[in-house]
Amino acid sequence: MKDNAICKLLNIRYPILVGGMTWVSEAVLAAAVSEAGGLGTIATGNMPGDLLRDEIRKVKTLTDKPYAVNLILLSPNFKECVEVVKEEKVPVLTLGAGNSGPFIPQLKEAGIKVVPVVNSVALARRLERSGADAIVAEGEEAGGHIGDTATMPLIPQMADALKVPVVAAGGIGDGRGMAAAFALGAQGIQLGTALVVAHESRAHDNYKNAIIKASDRSTGVTGRTINKPVRALKNMLTQEFYTLEEKGSPWEEIEGLAIGRLRSAVMEGDVTRGSVMMGQVAGLVKRRASASEILEAMVEEFNQVMEKIGGFRIPAGGFPCEG
Ligand SMILES: Cc1cc2nc3c(=O)[nH]c(=O)nc-3n(C[C@H](O)[C@H](O)[C@H](O)COP(=O)(O)O)c2cc1C
């Protein structure tokens, strides 16, 4: 493995992206990840264009390394943000929540590498045909808005179906997970939850502590009944969601419950009634560290795992056993 398609494509040292995380991923975290050798991302959520421009300019003062902006198709400011991204010559754009195909040609023309985040092989194929440079295949273990398929079955199906490189996201928290993603056919990984606790992340201490305290069963998925599944810490808010969903409440009421809740969790530390988005991998995240320490530890463990299992073989006919 002398070369790596993702490092080559994005001009980064490590094939590690840190995904856009609304409210969490702003300029400081994005720059820290890019300085550490990965690809940091500015998340936009529903951010207006002028605010995005400020964030992009801030990243440019903090690092000269490549970085990404994450846009959400459903945002009311999507088109305005596309213009800002083009004007500011952002090197990489990741796109979530829907079919970004129609926008890809103009972004490519502006010299931007386009990397959609998807959970379906059919959509990934369409986006590849539209010119996507790589695909982030995100399994339902991930924190935040999710699809239906888990990372383990999703990655090899994506790798088989696509010519462009696949980046695995969802459920990766250490070098073992990273090695597993590569074994499944990915050529890079995207992290979310594991970087929320980074020193450079602006998430409130309560949010970071909630991730550190989480176990394997701490997260739950709300919004399945309205086709907008979200994975977050199980708390009073998720309980309220389940109650409304069980009652069959109208979707406006269910969606309305979410308004402002991610912000209150990230910025004010409301981990009881806020939306504390985190992935199943939270149970594996046990200490705070800098973005650089997190990435370096992951790469070191990845290399150890590859060395350990690299020579492992099942003997012809299997292992000796009695009977
Ligand atoms: C708090 C939080 C907010 C997120 N917000 C976004 C977002 O705005 N756009 C997006 O494409 N993905 C978003 N994600 C998904 C991440 O970018 C990433 O793909 C995911 O967290 C990877 O899975 P993991 O959490 O298991 O590491 C978010 C995830 C978290 C935990």
Side-chain angles (χ1 to χ4, degrees):
M1 216 194 282
K2 286 211 179 74
D3 238 341
N4 175 267
I6 289 298
C7 287
K8 222 171 170 175
L9 175 73
L10 305 177
N11 194 23
I12 52 178
R13 286 190 291 124
Y14 297 140
I16 302 177
L17 286 62
V18 173
M21 293 182 277
T22 300
W23 289 108
V24 177
S25 311
E26 42 58 82
V28 173
L29 180 63
V33 170
S34 291
E35 278 292 300
L39 187 81
T41 302
I42 303 170
T44 57
N46 287 340
M47 190 186 273
D50 52 350
L51 235 140
L52 173 60
R53 198 185 299 279
D54 291 346
E55 284 296 310
I56 293 170
R57 291 190 175 167
K58 191 167 169 193
V59 167
K60 288 177 182 169
T61 65
L62 297 172
T63 183
D64 56 1
K65 308 275 187 311
Y67 60 92
V69 165
N70 173 257
L71 294 185
I72 295 177
L73 273 103
L74 297 175
S75 159
N77 303 314
F78 177 76
K79 288 191 176 157
E80 185 188 330
C81 287
V82 166
E83 291 311 311
V84 172
V85 161
K86 288 197 289 190
E87 284 160 21
E88 293 294 326
K89 304 198 183 323
V90 167
V92 184
L93 188 65
T94 67
L95 290 149
N99 177 17
S100 50
F103 297 94
I104 295 180
Q106 53 166 306
L107 293 163
K108 298 285 305 276
E109 240 167 70
I112 299 168
K113 303 269 169 22
V114 184
V115 185
V117 182
V118 289
N119 182 267
S120 125
V121 172
L123 180 56
R125 273 206 178 106
R126 267 167 74 183
L127 296 171
E128 182 183 55
R129 280 198 298 275
S130 302
D133 293 285
I135 294 286
V136 175
E138 188 190 66
E140 62 137 16
E141 300 92 324
H145 293 265
I146 53 170
D148 296 322
T149 310
T151 303
M152 183 82 120
L154 185 65
I155 304 307
Q157 293 183 69
M158 288 280 195
D160 285 349
L162 303 174
K163 290 188 189 69
V164 296
V166 174
V167 174
I172 303 169
D174 61 17
R176 294 171 296 179
M178 184 174 174
F182 274 70
L184 294 171
Q187 301 195 57
I189 58 162
Q190 172 163 295
L191 305 171
T193 303
L195 267 291
V196 176
V197 303
H199 295 325
E200 297 90 343
S201 147
R202 75 164 164 199
H204 193 283
D205 267 354
N206 294 353
Y207 203 125
K208 292 182 181 180
N209 288 337
I211 291 180
I212 304 268
K213 274 199 280 176
S215 71
D216 56 334
R217 299 185 64 228
S218 294
T219 72
V221 179
T222 58
R224 285 228 195 264
T225 57
I226 57 165
N227 250 335
K228 290 196 171 163
V230 172
R231 182 177 299 283
L233 177 74
K234 284 186 234 167
N235 62 5
M236 266 172 71
L237 177 65
T238 51
Q239 203 43 58
E240 281 178 56
F241 269 111
Y242 293 143
T243 306
L244 287 188
E245 290 193 66
E246 271 161 30
K247 275 203 309 207
S249 301
W251 68 267
E252 299 92 326
E253 200 181 332
I254 299 172
E255 267 209 305
L257 200 54
I259 293 170
R261 299 304 181 95
L262 177 59
R263 189 195 169 282
S264 68
V266 175
M267 305 301 285
E268 286 146 28
D270 182 357
V271 293
T272 311
R273 300 204 61 242
S275 176
V276 193
M277 292 181 186
M278 64 175 78
Q280 289 179 331
V281 79
L284 205 59
V285 179
K286 286 294 159 235
R287 71 182 189 100
R288 296 196 196 183
S290 68
S292 163
E293 286 164 340
I294 295 169
L295 262 60
E296 290 294 338
M298 195 164 281
V299 169
E300 193 184 328
E301 190 179 28
F302 171 83
N303 284 337
Q304 284 167 2
V305 172
M306 296 307 257
E307 205 166 304
K308 198 162 112 192
I309 62 173
F312 179 77
R313 297 283 179 282
I314 296 177
F319 293 103
C321 62
E322 284 177 23

